[in-house]
Amino acid sequence: MGNMSPTLENLTETIINRLSDQGYAVIENFLPGQEIKALSHHAKSLQKNGEMHKAATGLSKQNTNNSILRGDFIHWIEASQACKIEQIYLDSMSSLQQAINKSFFLGLFELESHFAIYPPGAGYQKHFDQFIGRNERKVSCILYLNEDWTKDDGGALRMYLDQKNQNNYIDITPQAGTLVVFLSEEFLHEVLPAKRERISLTGWFRTRSVN
Ligand code: OGA
Ligand code: MN
């Protein structure tokens, strides 16, 4: 009563329902504003300390033109060495994972996650979240950390809803606190270039490789 802000439990329920109806969910204010701020601040200090590195893709590790494919800088979270704010993120993802497991029997058992910073003008071309020949990534989750983002800033996540019709897509604004969750194998997507620096925290729930 009185408190209208949705709890993590409500949000989780919404995510589960949308995942099962449409294969993806877009949720605003997934974490409280001060936690989003702390995550954004943390990403910027990793960058300042030289702990963000040019991202490679599984498809093109040897490709020197990789930055044409994706132009972001990333930092992988080490769960065993997580700082306080990283742990808050990991805990919230872990409750989401439990809920997804219960509802979908996907057997997701671990999260890999990284911060990503796209400098102005950088994007990530159309791709699926899989390395070639593998399919351990089951559910992709992207949490945005950009305050006061406007449509005019660009940088949308463009998700293609129909592989046969590339005119059928949605654009998601990378506004602070927005979480996008989708079935990794089903959605082709891309990051459009932005006019300003764009920060996100991406996680994948994965099953163990059977190789
Ligand atoms: C990715 C990705 C989308 C985004 O890192 O694989 O597609 O909106 N990110 O940051
Ligand atoms: Mn992706």
Side-chain angles (χ1 to χ4, degrees):
M1 274 201 325
N3 183 1
M4 294 299 285
S5 75
T7 63
L8 190 56
E9 225 168 284
N10 295 149
L11 292 177
T12 302
E13 198 182 308
T14 305
I15 292 169
I16 298 297
N17 289 337
R18 304 241 165 99
L19 268 183
S20 95
D21 290 349
Q22 57 188 23
Y24 70 92
V26 183
I27 296 291
E28 289 173 12
N29 303 312
F30 178 66
L31 290 177
Q34 80 233 41
E35 292 174 4
I36 295 294
K37 269 203 182 99
L39 285 166
S40 154
H41 186 266
H42 182 56
K44 285 177 193 159
S45 56
L46 288 168
Q47 184 184 40
K48 221 185 262 163
N49 298 334
E51 294 180 64
M52 306 272 317
H53 302 284
K54 196 84 197 54
T57 62
L59 305 179
S60 63
K61 276 209 167 98
Q62 278 85 30
N63 184 348
T64 47
N65 287 327
N66 190 55
S67 46
I68 295 171
L69 260 179
R70 71 184 287 190
D72 57 332
F73 291 77
I74 63 171
H75 175 91
W76 290 99
I77 294 181
E78 276 293 338
S80 60
Q81 293 163 27
C83 67
K84 201 169 145 215
I85 190 60
E86 288 176 340
Q87 196 57 53
I88 288 173
Y89 164 75
L90 292 176
D91 289 347
S92 69
M93 296 311 280
S94 160
S95 26
L96 179 56
Q97 175 168 357
Q98 280 169 37
I100 294 175
N101 278 346
K102 251 193 244 159
S103 313
F104 297 106
F105 307 103
L106 287 173
L108 311 166
F109 78 101
E110 72 186 10
L111 178 76
E112 46 177 357
S113 57
H114 67 53
F115 289 94
I117 298 187
Y118 291 75
Y124 191 161
Q125 290 185 3
K126 276 182 206 165
H127 65 280
F128 285 101
D129 281 352
Q130 295 292 348
F131 294 111
I132 272 180
R134 301 206 223 147
N135 62 352
E136 305 117 6
R137 285 179 173 172
K138 294 298 175 195
V139 178
S140 304
C141 306
I142 307 151
L143 178 62
Y144 297 109
L145 307 177
N146 310 291
E147 293 205 16
D148 304 320
W149 197 273
T150 68
K151 281 209 166 63
D152 193 47
D153 292 325
L157 168 63
R158 179 162 290 178
M159 275 185 57
Y160 294 90
L161 303 181
D162 180 355
Q163 287 187 44
K164 286 180 224 103
N165 176 6
Q166 304 242 328
N167 295 317
N168 187 357
Y169 58 75
I170 52 167
D171 282 349
I172 296 151
T173 302
Q175 171 61 27
T178 296
L179 177 75
V180 183
V181 182
F182 61 91
L183 300 176
S184 306
E185 291 151 298
E186 302 208 352
F187 295 94
L188 188 63
H189 57 282
E190 71 184 306
V191 177
L192 303 179
K195 291 181 189 162
R196 49 181 273 210
E197 181 177 78
R198 177 190 192 274
I199 310 180
S200 60
L201 179 42
T202 302
W204 293 273
F205 293 123
R206 53 189 287 165
T207 54
R208 202 187 290 277
S209 166
V210 286
N211 309 324

